[in-house]
Amino acid sequence: WSPSDLATRLPEIIAQTLVLAGERDAVVPIAQSQRVARNLPHAEFRVVPGTGHIAFEEAPAIINRLILDFLSRAQGSGK
């Protein structure tokens, strides 16, 4: 396995997945996170406003809400 294999293997992941991106992330551009989400069959993509690469530290309340909402929807769908 190598990181370059990741893009080709993403469609194999069947779990519901939440992909989060910091609006001002200078390490992983939003476009790259969007590409990851597009290649995951059951992904949701969300941008965390006003945050960079460490959005979980910069906006923990927003991150927690996004995760809890995602888990609630995932649980409700039965997947």
Side-chain angles (χ1 to χ4, degrees):
W1 183 89
S2 72
S4 61
D5 294 335
L6 181 61
T8 60
R9 308 271 326 260
L10 288 173
E12 298 173 27
I13 298 172
I14 60 171
Q16 291 189 22
T17 307
L18 177 61
V19 179
L20 298 173
E23 180 181 42
R24 298 185 315 232
D25 191 336
V27 178
V28 179
I30 287 179
Q32 185 173 342
S33 297
Q34 286 173 317
R35 208 168 20 258
V36 167
R38 274 196 310 272
N39 285 292
L40 290 164
H42 304 285
E44 285 187 30
F45 176 74
R46 299 286 181 262
V47 175
V48 185
T51 64
H53 190 65
I54 53 172
F56 61 92
E57 286 186 7
E58 298 172 66
I62 294 171
I63 294 289
N64 287 342
R65 178 54 36 213
L66 289 169
I67 292 170
L68 290 171
D69 289 349
F70 169 78
L71 292 173
S72 177
R73 285 190 302 280
Q75 183 179 24
S77 73
K79 291 184 182 179

